[in-house]
Amino acid sequence: MAKPSKSRIFSSGIPAASPELRVFRIPGIPEIRPGADLVECVAGAASRAAIRFEVGDILVFAQKIVSKAEGTLVRLASVNPSPEALAIAGRLKKDPRAIEVVLRESRRIVRSDHVLIAETRHGFVCANAGVDHSNVPGDDVVTLLPRNPDRSAKKLAAALRKCTHKRIAVIISDTFGRPWRLGLTNVAIGASGLPVLLDLRGTRDRDGKPLTATILAVADELAAAAGLLMGKSEGSPVILIRGYRYKPASEPAAKIIRPANEDLFR
């Protein structure tokens, strides 16, 4: 694989647009169990596929394997649903034990009539507070979001650097819905090593007009690009993105969450 050219930085500190972006699956990632060393699994799979990491690569990890490795799993048989969970489950025709897990993972319930939308302890507003039973062996187990996705991403980036001797950024992605638009897309819930937002305010467009409100959620855009190769049944939970130009940064993905006092929809 060709080595990407060095980043060119404008005087404003904004990276030049990447002339080429390449996205690869890391094939052969095994089923992840609690306690698994994700970096060891990824490095082994990359070696078997003759993939060599380069400085500036970005690895996007599906949230599900991070949660599995960290053991954020719940057996529904161990859950005793509360009266609130029983009431919501009755309306939604869902398993009250799963609803109880959602309640435990939530700061608040946004709506619970046709769908269950919650604000998680992290501040994400999403369906079921990120509690999910897909791609988990057995019918009695659900996964939770990582306790601190940004911390998880930071640990993965540090371990990757130690293992590969390369500076590699990390994004942890999950699938979210969006207000006013159909369909799901991957977004960044954890990040380390790259800017998560690109603030273009104060710069000018091609016609010289000043930009006053443009802030790009680049970590979400990268997560969405990786989601095109992850799929839901392909067994490709780790994606390599190469060629995106960025300045190394320690911004957390939590920075993307809109502050409550700026949220027009609360």
Side-chain angles (χ1 to χ4, degrees):
M1 284 179 264
K3 186 174 181 179
S5 58
K6 293 183 179 180
S7 299
R8 178 168 56 89
I9 306 297
F10 290 134
S11 59
S12 63
I14 298 172
S18 301
E20 180 182 59
L21 194 69
R22 305 179 70 189
V23 186
F24 309 88
R25 289 187 176 100
I26 304 291
I29 303 292
E31 174 64 29
I32 301 300
R33 308 289 183 187
D37 185 328
L38 286 181
V39 168
E40 183 177 287
C41 293
V42 170
S47 178
R48 291 190 294 274
I51 295 173
R52 295 185 177 182
F53 294 113
E54 299 179 4
V55 172
D57 282 350
I58 301 167
L59 280 181
V60 183
F61 290 77
Q63 162 269 320
K64 189 64 61 67
I65 64 167
V66 178
S67 292
K68 287 179 178 179
E70 294 181 351
T72 53
L73 309 167
V74 174
R75 287 199 173 275
L76 296 181
S78 68
V79 177
N80 184 26
S82 63
E84 184 181 5
L86 290 168
I88 294 174
R91 293 198 300 272
L92 298 179
K93 296 180 172 53
K94 300 288 187 180
D95 187 331
R97 301 171 301 172
I99 299 298
E100 177 62 27
V101 178
V102 172
L103 294 178
R104 294 176 185 178
E105 293 298 301
S106 302
R107 286 181 184 171
R108 65 185 177 106
I109 299 301
V110 177
R111 66 179 302 171
S112 62
D113 42 11
H114 297 92
V115 293
L116 184 54
I117 305 295
E119 181 181 356
T120 72
R121 293 175 292 97
H122 320 78
F124 308 131
V125 176
C126 57
N128 302 314
V131 176
D132 192 12
H133 68 271
S134 65
N135 290 316
V136 183
D139 298 325
D140 188 49
V141 180
V142 294
T143 59
L144 315 178
L145 296 179
R147 295 300 179 195
N148 187 326
D150 283 315
R151 182 174 61 199
S152 300
K154 187 174 182 179
K155 288 181 177 179
L156 287 169
L160 281 164
R161 186 162 194 161
K162 184 176 181 180
C163 175
T164 66
H165 305 290
K166 302 289 194 304
R167 175 178 52 78
I168 299 172
V170 168
I171 292 172
I172 297 174
S173 72
D174 197 11
T175 306
F176 278 28
R178 300 159 297 160
W180 304 310
R181 299 184 69 82
L182 295 175
L184 304 172
T185 188
N186 276 23
V187 302
I189 65 169
S192 179
L194 78 168
V196 298
L197 296 170
L198 182 59
D199 191 345
L200 299 179
R201 293 173 299 179
T203 65
R204 295 180 179 274
D205 66 13
R206 289 183 61 187
D207 294 318
K209 298 172 183 174
L211 300 176
T212 60
T214 304
I215 303 175
L216 302 180
V218 292
D220 282 350
E221 292 184 319
L222 292 164
L228 294 173
L229 288 186
M230 281 183 179
K232 284 295 184 183
S233 58
E234 285 82 356
S236 301
V238 183
I239 303 298
L240 168 63
I241 297 178
R242 176 168 294 163
Y244 176 69
R245 291 174 169 173
Y246 64 94
K247 291 184 68 175
S250 57
E251 294 181 3
K255 187 176 180 179
I256 304 173
I257 299 172
R258 189 182 298 276
N261 63 343
E262 297 178 13
D263 191 336
L264 302 179
F265 309 104
R266 284 179 181 257

